[in-house]
Amino acid sequence: MEKETFKKKLNYALWLSIITIVYNTLEGLASTFFGASDETLALFGFGVDSFVEVLSGVGIAHMIYRMKRSDIQERDKFEITALRITGTALYILTAGLVVGAVIAIFNQSEPESTLAGIIVAGISILTMYFLYREKMKVGEKLESQPIISDAKCTKTCFYLSFILLGSSLVYEFWHIPYIDALGSLGIAWYAYKEGREAFQNAKSKSLSCCSDCC
């Protein structure tokens, strides 16, 4: 690949990572606000996870910026620290969602509405699919395993969106008890997996996500 074309592809990859950061920030704000006001634990947990993904996204953007300057072989201290903070935050989120789900079931708490969850999940599915597809394209053209791995890890948010959409739709139309709590437990499971993978990647210093990512 020509040097100029390579540079343009890396610039595009960097812009994709910036879009991911900005989108997750906005998604986190909307999800936590409506999750708290509508008392839907699944949406609130989804929003907190979006904020954690911002931390991860900053590490990815930093990595791609380094790739623009020179060939890199492993993560630097900044990226490792970002992974450790991300992993810790995801473990805390997992514990909080599990405790919240137990309390919600015990108190027989139900959301006022899950309409916001349906809207947020729908937008997220479309956005994450676009980001995943574009990251895979640019990663394959650059033959860059770090960018391809980032694309594969973006699918986690895609799957989380379907969990949120499913639980929100079921409750909004059929008001099945505890479905919101179950949806939050599904998000907690993915948060735990993400947290474990973040610590594994920080420990190995590998530029790739671990083999079972997403």
Side-chain angles (χ1 to χ4, degrees):
M1 183 181 293
E2 295 181 3
K3 185 176 181 180
E4 188 64 27
T5 302
F6 184 83
K7 184 177 180 181
K8 287 181 179 179
K9 293 298 180 183
L10 270 182
N11 285 335
Y12 185 51
L14 182 60
W15 273 110
L16 288 173
S17 67
I18 293 173
I19 291 171
T20 302
I21 293 169
V22 173
Y23 175 78
N24 277 325
T25 300
L26 296 175
E27 181 180 78
L29 290 170
S31 298
T32 51
F33 174 79
F34 287 106
S37 60
D38 293 340
E39 297 182 5
T40 165
L41 185 60
L43 181 57
F44 186 82
F46 185 81
V48 175
D49 182 79
S50 296
F51 285 132
V52 178
E53 292 299 331
V54 171
L55 298 175
S56 177
V58 170
I60 295 296
H62 177 77
M63 180 186 70
I64 296 174
Y65 178 74
R66 286 201 301 132
M67 290 171 64
K68 289 181 60 179
R69 300 178 64 183
S70 63
D71 185 34
I72 61 175
Q73 302 299 323
E74 62 180 20
R75 300 180 191 277
D76 67 3
K77 290 183 179 180
F78 179 88
E79 291 152 19
I80 292 171
T81 300
L83 281 169
R84 288 173 177 166
I85 294 174
T86 298
T88 301
L90 286 167
Y91 278 159
I92 293 173
L93 172 59
T94 299
L97 286 174
V98 171
V99 171
V102 171
I103 293 174
I105 292 173
F106 181 79
N107 292 334
Q108 297 183 340
S109 302
E110 295 184 7
E112 292 183 9
S113 170
T114 55
L115 179 60
I118 296 172
I119 296 172
V120 169
I123 295 173
S124 181
I125 288 170
L126 295 175
T127 304
M128 290 303 142
Y129 176 74
F130 165 78
L131 289 172
Y132 163 70
R133 184 187 63 187
E134 293 303 305
K135 288 178 181 180
M136 280 296 294
K137 284 182 180 179
V138 72
E140 289 173 350
K141 289 179 179 179
L142 291 172
E143 297 182 350
S144 170
Q145 187 57 39
I147 296 175
I148 292 173
S149 296
D150 177 43
K152 291 179 179 178
C153 290
T154 298
K155 286 199 297 184
T156 299
C157 295
F158 187 63
Y159 295 148
L160 285 175
S161 301
F162 276 104
I163 292 175
L164 176 64
L165 180 63
S167 63
S168 298
L169 279 171
V170 170
Y171 185 82
E172 189 68 22
F173 287 99
W174 293 285
H175 292 276
I176 297 177
Y178 312 130
I179 193 67
D180 180 64
L182 291 175
S184 68
L185 289 176
I187 292 173
W189 168 246
Y190 270 101
Y192 170 76
K193 286 183 63 180
E194 286 182 288
R196 183 183 61 188
E197 289 156 5
F199 278 115
Q200 288 174 345
N201 286 326
K203 185 177 180 179
S204 69
K205 298 184 180 181
S206 171
L207 288 172
S208 304
C209 290
C210 59
S211 60
D212 64 342
C213 181
C214 308

